[in-house]
Every structure is written in C-alpha cells, then in structure tokens.
Amino acid sequence: MSTTPYTPPKVWQFDSENGGKWASLNKPTSGATFEQHLPRGQHPFQLYSLATPNGQKVTIMFEELLAKGISDAEYDAFLIEISEGDQFGSDFVAINPNSKIPALLDTSTSPATRVFESGSILLYLAEKFSSFIPQDAQAKTECMNWLFWQMGSAPYVGGGFGHFYAYAPEPMEYPINRFAMETKRQLDVLDKHLAQNEYMAGDEYSIADMAIWPWYGALVLGKAYDAAEFLSVHEYRHLLAWAKKIEQRPAVQRGQRVNRVWGEEEEQLRERHSAADLD
C-alpha cells in the first residue's frame, strides 16, 4: 500500500494524462466527437461490436439462434475499434448514446429499432424469437435474476479487478486486494448456485448463461487477465464444469470469433456477413 496519503481536492478536475491502457480514450463527457458513416449489410440485424466479453454475449446469441434454425436471425457484424475511438462517431452514438459496444440496429422494423446494452440486446432477441428464455414464470424470473446480476456484477470484475490487476499504470495493493476479494466472492456465488443447477436458470440453457459465460467462464478457464492462478479458480469446481460445458457448444465457439482481431489467426474474424465467413 502506498505510504503517500492522497487528499481529494475540493473539486475534481479531469487529468488527461492519468495513465493506464485506455487513458487516451477516457473522458468525463459523452456524445459524438466526429462525423461517421457506419456501413450497412443485407441482413435484418446490423451489429456494431468487438469481441470483448460484452460483445461475445450477443454474437453467441445470434449463432445460437441460427444453430436452432431461425434464419430470420441472420446478422451482419461490423467491427468497432474501441482503441481507435470508433465508438465516439456520430452514427454509433445515434445507436448507443453511451458509446459502448455492442450496439444493434434491427432493420426488420419500421422505423429501425436501436438496441444498446448487452443485456437489453439479449432480452430483445430472446423475446423476439421466443428462444433461450424460459416460458415458465418462475424459471423466467430466475433467468432475469441472473441476467441482471451479471449486468450489475461484472463491472467489479472488468472495471475493478481487471483494470487494477492488468491495465493500471502500476500495481496498487489496496484496489487489487479489494476487487480480488469481490471477484472471488462472485465466483463463490456462481459456484454454489451451479452446485445445485445445471444452468443458471435451472435445467434450461438460456440468455443468463450467455451473459455470464464470456465474463466468468472466461475468467475461470484462464482466458481473462491471466489471473486464473492468482484467483485460485480451481477452487470453484462446479463453476469450472459449467464453463467447460458451455465452451463446447458449437455456437459459443463460433460467436467468440466474431469481431475478434487478436489471438491466433484461426480465432479471428474481423466482420461477419454469412455463416460461410465462420466456416
């Protein structure tokens, strides 16, 4: 822990040189910073995204719908380079005023429907196609419980633990300890739930699993922040078993690749416009 005490000023001021991997993109204001024309494909759904955990949720959902034989779920996926600031362009901000991926445009409606926030997109698609959301009222509520749990909890993992453990300018004991503790608490919550349930909403694979797996499944499988050993993920055996089972689903394997521009070449797919792109 630092021996130099920090006293907050009376009024906070933005420091553009605050360090960290994403420092050049972070700022305390919203809205478009440049004019932009986003491309459009031929399918009903236009997705603008990147294969981060939040982006993977939606491409996994689309691939699961298509694997189920729902051809109306065909989509075009265009890359948004967040490291280049694409998310601050005028067309993207018109779809998502919060300037975060993923952002979806459903052109099958008139006028087209914008959908932003990954959880909202999952719920929108599940209800539109009556798929991957339980019909039983109690099971559906359980699915929603876990979907919203993920949306509220993951920022502690990504913006908290992941930031200070992997991206901050220098390691800092207090925030790493604070967010490691919270991350392990969340892993324990999932592990105990999955000790009694096959999937997050019970016996049925659902959008709750699709929301949670790219974050927590990736973490315990050693795919996030290089932190599996640090967090002793072997302790969460029920969560690990669930994560490995989800990882084996063909649609999950396909969805992970869409809008991915890092890693092994065979794992990457900059844009997706047909199933053949993944084949």
Side-chain angles (χ1 to χ4, degrees):
M1 186 177 296
S2 173
T3 58
T4 303
Y6 169 69
T7 302
K10 289 185 179 298
V11 178
W12 181 84
Q13 297 292 324
F14 175 53
D15 177 10
S16 61
E17 303 298 324
N18 61 2
K21 183 175 180 179
W22 307 105
S24 64
L25 295 174
N26 294 329
K27 59 184 187 304
T29 56
S30 64
T33 59
F34 64 94
E35 289 298 315
Q36 174 192 57
H37 177 69
L38 287 177
R40 291 278 188 96
Q42 300 300 313
H43 295 308
F45 295 98
Q46 302 298 296
L47 178 66
Y48 303 97
S49 193
L50 182 70
T52 65
N54 287 334
Q56 287 180 32
K57 296 177 196 175
V58 176
T59 48
I60 287 171
M61 176 60 165
F62 272 121
E63 294 300 327
E64 290 282 12
L65 290 168
L66 293 170
K68 196 176 179 181
I70 302 175
S71 58
D72 287 346
E74 268 293 355
Y75 71 106
D76 294 281
F78 295 97
L79 180 69
I80 295 296
E81 289 272 24
I82 62 173
S83 62
E84 301 297 324
D86 291 351
Q87 68 273 32
F88 301 113
S90 57
D91 274 10
F92 189 88
V93 172
I95 302 173
N96 186 354
N98 196 38
S99 293
K100 303 289 185 181
I101 62 95
L104 179 68
L105 201 62
D106 179 1
T107 66
S108 70
T109 65
S110 183
T113 301
R114 74 174 188 180
V115 198
F116 61 91
E117 288 296 322
S118 56
S120 179
I121 297 173
L122 289 177
L123 183 56
Y124 180 84
L125 293 173
E127 292 186 334
K128 188 177 185 77
F129 295 112
S130 300
S131 297
F132 302 112
I133 186 168
Q135 297 304 302
D136 172 77
Q138 284 192 332
K140 182 177 181 180
T141 300
E142 187 71 359
C143 178
M144 294 296 97
N145 290 342
W146 288 107
L147 176 64
F148 284 96
W149 175 89
Q150 188 280 319
M151 296 296 292
S153 297
Y156 287 98
V157 177
F161 173 74
H163 174 79
F164 286 105
Y165 185 77
Y167 300 137
E170 60 185 30
M172 291 172 275
E173 182 180 2
Y174 177 78
I176 290 175
N177 283 343
R178 171 66 181 87
F179 288 111
M181 178 182 66
E182 174 60 15
T183 297
K184 286 183 67 67
R185 189 194 69 80
Q186 292 180 18
L187 294 176
D188 193 51
V189 168
L190 291 170
D191 191 62
K192 287 174 177 172
H193 177 71
L194 289 165
Q196 305 296 325
N197 296 274
E198 183 177 4
Y199 296 107
M200 294 309 305
D203 297 331
E204 185 177 342
Y205 177 65
S206 73
I207 55 174
D209 299 284
M210 297 179 207
I212 292 169
W213 186 86
W215 279 100
Y216 298 89
L219 190 62
V220 297
L221 291 172
K223 298 181 177 183
Y225 310 126
D226 194 24
E229 181 179 7
F230 180 76
L231 294 171
S232 302
V233 300
H234 65 278
E235 297 173 350
Y236 309 106
R237 58 188 185 90
H238 304 292
L239 176 56
L240 266 169
W242 168 86
K244 291 174 181 177
K245 178 169 57 179
I246 302 297
E247 185 183 35
Q248 294 306 308
R249 295 182 68 91
V252 171
Q253 295 175 9
R254 293 167 72 85
Q256 287 182 87
R257 293 173 52 202
V258 179
N259 298 141
R260 184 180 175 94
V261 290
W262 61 88
E264 299 296 328
E265 186 175 353
E266 63 271 15
E267 297 175 344
Q268 300 183 31
L269 184 66
R270 185 178 182 86
E271 294 185 0
R272 188 268 188 210
H273 302 290
S274 76
D277 294 336
L278 286 159
D279 297 333

